[in-house]
Amino acid sequence: WVSRLGSEAIAAVAMGWVGFMLFWTAAIGMSNATIAMVGNLVGGRDIEGANRLGKELLTIIVLISLAVAIIGYVIAPQLLKLLGASPNVWGLATGYLRICMLGAIATFPFYVINAMLRGAGDMRIPMFIVCGQLIINAILDPLLILGIGFPKMGVNGAALALVISGAIGTAVGLWVLAKGKSSIKVDFVKDVKSYLPRLATIREVMNLAGFNSIEMLGINIISMVMMGLVAIWGTYALAAYGIGLRLLRIVSLFGFDLAMTSEIIMSNNLGAKEIRRAEVSSWIAC
């Protein structure tokens, strides 16, 4: 749908997305830490501990999302100028990135909710929620981008569709946790003090998410450098590169999925003290 707006729009979405990925690192790091921590407790049959941990992790990701959203919104124009965007592309990309960053407050928590459910061994409900997000996004994209029944928003419409679908995913995920539709249930009313992260939890999150986030940050910085180099060759090159990146993400999904599966199996087995089984499953995944 964005391609119908021209090469400048495609290039803007490509640059805006690469900028967004830089901040997305925080959500991915938290997601991986959540799978490991929740999976370990569930594997050890400590469901009550997993429920308490869930509240703490949600508090942490909300605070991180707020901080990242503010920082991202403020530095978005300078960041995209650093990438070497032309004036026309820069204006479109700035709007796209700023909407995505403000929306991060509502969308980033879903990554932790998703990780909590998957870490508890439930792969079905997260899949249904993500499929629902994709359907909503697919419906909203042409409506908001091209202005079918709504004001034509162009590139900003693409960002808004992404934010709305992500926010709905977060809301549904919270409902699933509250109702206990999965193997993990979070009582959002009982014991308000349990929302305050314990020092031990913060330390574990920093140990697990910190190094992973640094790793992902390095990868995303390289992606930004590549985008800056491609920008030298103009808008058409940026548009082509953006399309190529999307196709690369599609073919990479199988590897990411296997990696997540391995992480879940490993954390569950370690929590259950099944060290040998954890080793065997890892070798099979490799």
Side-chain angles (χ1 to χ4, degrees):
W1 297 115
V2 171
S3 69
R4 297 191 178 200
L5 303 175
S7 58
E8 288 182 349
I10 300 175
V13 170
M15 295 198 88
W17 183 254
V18 168
F20 180 66
M21 291 290 286
L22 186 69
F23 301 99
W24 189 54
T25 300
I28 294 300
M30 273 296 298
S31 172
N32 290 333
T34 298
I35 288 177
M37 295 168 72
V38 171
N40 198 276
L41 290 172
V42 171
R45 299 285 187 259
D46 186 5
I47 304 301
E48 187 62 35
N51 293 340
R52 165 67 192 264
L53 178 65
K55 287 185 180 181
E56 297 176 82
L57 293 175
L58 286 172
T59 300
I60 293 172
I61 189 60
V62 166
L63 294 175
I64 289 175
S65 300
L66 283 168
V68 167
I70 294 169
I71 293 170
Y73 183 88
V74 171
I75 72 169
Q78 291 75 23
L79 179 65
L80 293 168
K81 277 185 179 178
L82 189 65
L83 291 178
S86 64
N88 290 340
V89 172
W90 174 78
L92 294 173
T94 299
Y96 179 89
L97 180 54
R98 279 187 154 176
I99 291 173
C100 287
M101 292 314 308
L102 287 179
I105 299 170
T107 59
F108 277 10
F110 176 69
Y111 292 100
V112 167
I113 295 168
N114 195 3
M116 287 169 60
L117 296 171
R118 293 186 190 276
D122 189 338
M123 305 300 284
R124 240 181 235 185
I125 291 179
M127 182 191 71
F128 287 135
I129 296 175
V130 171
C131 285
Q133 286 179 301
L134 293 175
I135 292 170
I136 293 170
N137 203 346
I139 294 171
L140 289 177
D141 268 336
L143 301 181
L144 298 178
I145 293 171
L146 303 180
I148 302 174
F150 293 88
K152 184 177 179 180
M153 298 181 65
V155 169
N156 288 348
L160 187 59
L162 188 69
V163 169
I164 292 173
S165 60
I168 291 174
T170 298
V172 173
L174 289 171
W175 178 81
V176 169
L177 290 176
K179 294 296 182 181
K181 298 294 183 180
S182 180
S183 52
I184 183 171
K185 180 180 180 180
V186 177
D187 190 339
F188 290 103
V189 179
K190 183 181 178 183
D191 192 9
V192 179
K193 289 183 179 179
S194 60
Y195 283 98
L196 296 175
R198 293 165 292 184
L199 185 59
T201 301
I202 295 173
R203 284 176 178 169
E204 192 170 4
V205 167
M206 290 177 65
N207 287 333
L208 292 173
F211 291 108
N212 185 235
S213 294
I214 292 171
E215 175 191 349
M216 293 296 297
L217 184 64
I219 293 172
N220 289 325
I221 288 174
I222 292 172
S223 297
M224 290 182 64
V225 172
M226 287 295 296
M227 183 66 73
L229 292 173
V230 173
I232 296 172
W233 301 97
T235 301
Y236 290 136
L238 274 175
Y241 187 64
I243 293 172
L245 284 177
R246 294 292 173 135
L247 294 174
L248 180 61
R249 284 187 65 210
I250 292 173
V251 297
S252 300
L253 287 177
F254 303 103
F256 286 125
D257 185 53
L258 186 59
M260 180 184 289
T261 304
S262 304
E263 185 181 7
I264 294 168
I265 295 172
M266 171 68 78
S267 61
N268 287 164
N269 281 324
L270 290 178
K273 308 301 181 184
E274 294 284 352
I275 308 301
R276 176 60 182 162
R277 194 164 65 190
E279 292 176 354
V280 171
S281 66
S282 299
W283 279 112
I284 291 173
C286 288

